[in-house]
Amino acid sequence: MIVREERTSIPVYVRAPFSDYFRPQSTGVLDLETTGLSPSGSHLILGGLLIPAGDCYTARQYFAEQPEEEGEVIDALMGDLARMQSIVTYNGKRFDLPFLRRRMEAVHQRTDAALPFNLDLLRIVRRYSQISRFLPNLKQKTLEDFLGLWTDRMDRIDGGESVRLYAQYVHTRQQDVLEQILLHNRDDICQLARLLQVIRKTDFHRAMSETGFPFNGGRISSVALRRDGMYIEAVQETAPVEYAAVDEHGVHCRFSKADGRCRIRGTLVETAGMRFFDTAPFGSLAETFDGEPDFHDGFVLVAAGEKVNYRALNRLARALTERIKNDGL
């Protein structure tokens, strides 16, 4: 296995609203190169990862010089991923992470390894922006061109060409072929880090409410407003607790130690077409919203008429989930 590591000049992305949900210093960028689309008959041959290191990212690549080194690549990647809170991918929900899991199962007979929270940028752009109306497709390189990032890319091959070049390298060990494959993968992860700026063109707070985001000790799966209150679905990933309670203020919760699942329902106060959550019964919870325009006399504004305040709703869901997990109601 070849390990290539290089310090980049790409700044770690820290701008809101991304930083409202993700700790930039523990969020990496991942892209995989494989010999095909189906994990049942293909190999993972290259894992590229951008790792936050101070103000900029370090690019780390693990390359299998022959398919038999796939297990080494998987082990190296999993070691890095275990130290991250979350990762950014492009179509990773449908391809990269399922492929990694299936190959881990095939090579190591393991299915229980935890992976960081995955922010799939393609899914966010496709579902929570109007960008697709202006572009012929949502391929990563097309989006790069749309944002004026094409000049930052040096490679000119695609994934299919990378597969052909890999077969050539296995038989010839030509250094220039190796460099083309590594460059393609490196450019993909570096450009993906630059593409994080597209978040500002999406309805990102709504996206996080519907697709989830990390909290300290797990991940919020979804946050929703219904007629009878606010509903939070979450998963505990570290130190899960067994807890169930209903308090006099209308908060119902159930935390399962067996499967880690959490469900919370909070009653809201409604007046003049606006809906609020009262933080007064939760003491320090109010400190999360001090100085915020959505916070009034201990009440968090989560909706005004039909307009949902997703930013406040998500912050409330994270703070409430962490509070109950750590201290109960």
Side-chain angles (χ1 to χ4, degrees):
M1 179 179 68
I2 293 174
V3 180
R4 181 74 60 87
E5 183 168 309
E6 181 183 352
R7 176 78 169 169
T8 79
S9 60
I10 303 171
V12 173
Y13 192 77
V14 297
R15 296 185 67 179
F18 173 77
S19 58
D20 291 339
Y21 300 94
F22 300 93
R23 296 198 299 267
Q25 293 303 327
S26 59
T27 299
V29 180
L30 175 71
D31 183 65
L32 305 181
E33 305 295 333
T34 69
T35 59
L37 297 178
S38 172
S40 62
S42 306
H43 296 280
L44 193 167
I45 52 113
L46 174 57
L49 194 62
L50 281 189
I51 302 170
D55 295 333
C56 295
Y57 293 102
T58 290
R60 187 175 296 162
Q61 296 171 286
Y62 299 102
F63 178 74
E65 291 197 89
Q66 52 193 9
E68 290 76 14
E69 294 179 350
E70 180 182 28
E72 296 178 52
V73 171
I74 291 173
D75 289 341
L77 267 180
M78 292 303 297
D80 283 336
L81 293 176
R83 292 185 286 272
M84 294 184 176
Q85 180 209 36
S86 48
I87 51 171
V88 178
T89 66
Y90 202 80
N91 200 33
K93 187 173 181 65
R94 293 185 62 186
F95 179 71
D96 297 79
L97 298 192
F99 195 102
L100 178 56
R101 285 192 180 279
R102 287 284 302 278
R103 293 312 301 164
M104 190 186 314
E105 180 180 1
V107 175
H108 294 313
Q109 286 76 54
R110 290 183 59 196
T111 58
D112 59 340
L115 290 169
F117 183 91
N118 174 29
L119 175 63
D120 187 338
L121 205 55
L122 173 60
R123 188 181 188 194
I124 301 302
V125 171
R126 175 177 287 150
R127 297 188 180 185
Y128 299 97
S129 81
Q130 299 298 312
I131 292 175
S132 62
R133 296 174 58 189
F134 310 109
L135 299 179
N137 57 64
L138 287 178
K139 294 179 180 179
Q140 182 175 330
K141 289 183 178 180
T142 305
L143 191 57
E144 291 169 20
D145 196 25
F146 173 71
L147 294 176
L149 299 173
W150 180 251
T151 56
D152 294 313
R153 180 180 282 274
M154 292 183 289
D155 93 287
R156 293 294 183 266
I157 68 172
D158 58 23
E161 180 70 2
S162 181
V163 173
R164 187 191 69 77
L165 288 174
Y166 182 71
Q168 180 180 340
Y169 176 80
V170 169
H171 288 93
T172 67
R173 291 294 195 269
Q174 290 176 265
Q175 186 66 26
D176 64 322
V177 173
L178 170 64
E179 295 303 328
Q180 287 185 70
I181 298 170
L182 292 175
L183 176 61
H184 171 70
N185 176 257
R186 184 186 182 282
D187 270 7
D188 273 353
I189 54 177
C190 289
Q191 290 292 81
L192 185 49
R194 295 184 178 104
L195 279 178
L196 282 169
Q197 63 184 272
V198 79
I199 283 172
R200 299 173 67 84
K201 299 181 182 295
T202 70
D203 191 349
F204 196 62
H205 294 299
R206 180 180 178 183
M208 294 296 94
S209 179
E210 296 179 0
T211 65
F213 52 91
F215 74 90
N216 188 19
R219 62 188 72 189
I220 304 292
S221 303
S222 65
V223 190
L225 284 184
R226 299 176 188 166
R227 181 170 297 179
D228 59 341
M230 170 184 68
Y231 284 77
I232 304 166
E233 297 276 344
V235 178
Q236 307 173 78
E237 294 179 330
T238 60
V241 299
E242 184 74 29
Y243 182 75
V246 179
D247 76 355
E248 65 270 26
H249 305 286
V251 174
H252 302 235
C253 67
R254 175 76 170 88
F255 284 61
S256 170
K257 189 173 184 178
D259 60 13
R261 297 180 68 181
C262 319
R263 293 185 176 88
I264 302 171
R265 178 171 70 84
T267 300
L268 301 175
V269 178
E270 185 167 356
T271 179
M274 296 184 289
R275 305 177 78 186
F276 299 87
F277 182 85
D278 184 5
T279 66
F282 299 94
S284 61
L285 187 65
E287 297 174 3
T288 303
F289 297 92
D290 278 347
E292 291 286 327
D294 306 316
F295 186 61
H296 309 275
D297 299 323
F299 291 87
V300 180
L301 175 65
V302 296
E306 297 299 316
K307 186 176 181 180
V308 178
N309 186 351
Y310 288 106
R311 179 175 183 268
L313 185 67
N314 294 341
R315 293 188 68 196
L316 178 60
R318 171 185 278 164
L320 189 61
T321 304
E322 290 179 350
R323 158 65 191 270
I324 296 175
K325 182 178 186 296
N326 295 329
D327 303 316
L329 290 176

